Amino acid sequence: QHPKQPWPYPEVVAHRGGGTLAPENTLAGFREGMRYGYRAAECDVKLSADNVCFLLHDDTVGRTSNGQGEARAKTMAELSVLDAGGWKGAAYAGEALPTLANVAAYCRAQGMLLNIEIKPCPGRFEETGRIVAREAARLWAGAAVPPLLSSFEIDALRAAQAAAPALPRAFLCEAIPADWREILAELDCMALHCDHETLTEALARDIKQAGYQLLCYTVNDPARARVLLGWGVDSLCTDRLDLLPAR
Ligand code: G3P
Ligand code: MG
């Protein structure tokens, strides 16, 4: 059995702030989550060229902002003038690319729980894990519920573990690898986050029986959500806050 205190996952977690109802990884997304009564959100965090932790999914800024090029080559001053909302609709024009500090202030003020997905730029796995974990520990100092760190990158999680051992961690994967027990134990994770399409009922049972918490992404279909919850999945990360009611 896993000895740690469980992370208080709600049944649903808003993917990238507010799912697809608002521009991803912006404060407008988090506001949308609040509007739907969500109590937790996931977001993607990486490092700017000058090592500021900020929110962005892709390696490049072009899909979700009016800028162009590699995120890792830009300083936070350059990133902060981009419009990260206009691509989603005129109502969101001028939304900024938030820093992790912006999001921490918002989440702590609103009582929103946060799953920080450490999403390193290419070649920056270790330093991103270390700097994001250290910054998260600082920003949430004294909080009743710490942020949950997750990553697909084992090197990033290992660095996060060394930098801020007290912060809870989840190993994030698409298909669950055969050696999931060893990975979770080595990284001292409390949870596994997997693509719901690769999960089976037997694997869900094994993971839960081993004492770990289990989240599936990205679940947008209410019927599928019921199946997964029936298998013992603790939490579902979703784009469709309008279809999966907050619980
Ligand atoms: O953390 C779950 C999910 O966000 C992982 O996939 O590509 O949306 O970051 P992605
Ligand atoms: Mg993510």
Side-chain angles (χ1 to χ4, degrees):
Q1 286 299 111
H2 202 274
K4 281 197 175 163
Q5 181 112 351
W7 200 69
Y9 286 87
E11 204 168 276
V12 282
V13 173
H15 187 219
R16 304 185 192 175
T20 47
L21 304 183
E24 65 185 58
N25 288 314
T26 66
L27 286 177
F30 284 84
R31 287 194 292 272
E32 197 71 358
M34 287 297 296
R35 212 164 67 76
Y36 277 89
Y38 270 52
R39 292 186 290 111
E42 180 260 10
C43 65
D44 305 298
V45 176
K46 46 176 42 77
L47 297 180
S48 64
D50 52 341
N51 286 345
V52 178
C53 304
F54 76 103
L55 274 63
L56 188 74
H57 180 273
D58 300 355
D59 294 336
T60 53
V61 300
R63 182 178 61 85
T64 55
S65 83
N66 64 343
Q68 276 190 345
E70 297 275 336
R72 67 178 165 184
K74 298 184 189 300
T75 63
M76 197 63 225
E78 291 167 332
L79 291 162
S80 62
V81 296
L82 298 179
D83 175 356
W87 66 277
K88 190 74 182 173
Y92 298 109
E95 262 311 305
L97 279 177
T99 62
L100 183 59
N102 298 147
V103 171
Y106 183 84
C107 288
R108 292 197 66 171
Q110 302 295 329
M112 175 83 83
L113 303 183
L114 191 65
N115 170 201
I116 299 171
E117 182 190 338
I118 304 170
K119 194 82 140 181
C121 292
R124 303 203 68 187
F125 302 114
E126 189 277 331
E127 58 192 334
T128 306
R130 172 169 41 85
I131 293 171
V132 172
R134 199 174 284 160
E135 178 75 342
R138 186 183 72 82
L139 292 168
W140 272 267
V145 179
L148 174 73
L149 306 180
S150 63
S151 190
F152 288 107
E153 305 301 338
I154 288 180
D155 288 346
L157 277 180
R158 197 176 283 128
Q161 177 184 13
L167 290 185
R169 284 174 302 282
F171 173 57
L172 178 54
C173 54
E174 287 182 25
I176 298 168
D179 59 346
W180 61 267
R181 288 175 194 275
E182 288 73 27
I183 294 171
L184 291 173
E186 192 221 317
L187 297 169
D188 193 20
C189 290
M190 54 206 323
L192 189 143
H193 292 184
C194 71
D195 184 338
H196 77 94
E197 290 180 15
T198 72
L199 187 67
T200 62
E201 186 169 10
L203 261 174
R205 188 190 54 230
D206 289 350
I207 292 161
K208 291 304 301 172
Q209 276 180 359
Y212 294 103
Q213 293 176 284
L214 179 57
L215 173 142
C216 284
Y217 68 88
T218 306
V219 182
N220 297 328
D221 173 30
R224 179 64 176 163
R226 282 191 292 277
V227 169
L228 294 164
L229 294 170
W231 290 354
V233 173
D234 296 288
S235 187
L236 309 170
C237 190
T238 185
D239 279 330
R240 294 302 301 267
L241 287 56
D242 51 337
L243 298 182
L244 272 63
R247 271 190 294 259

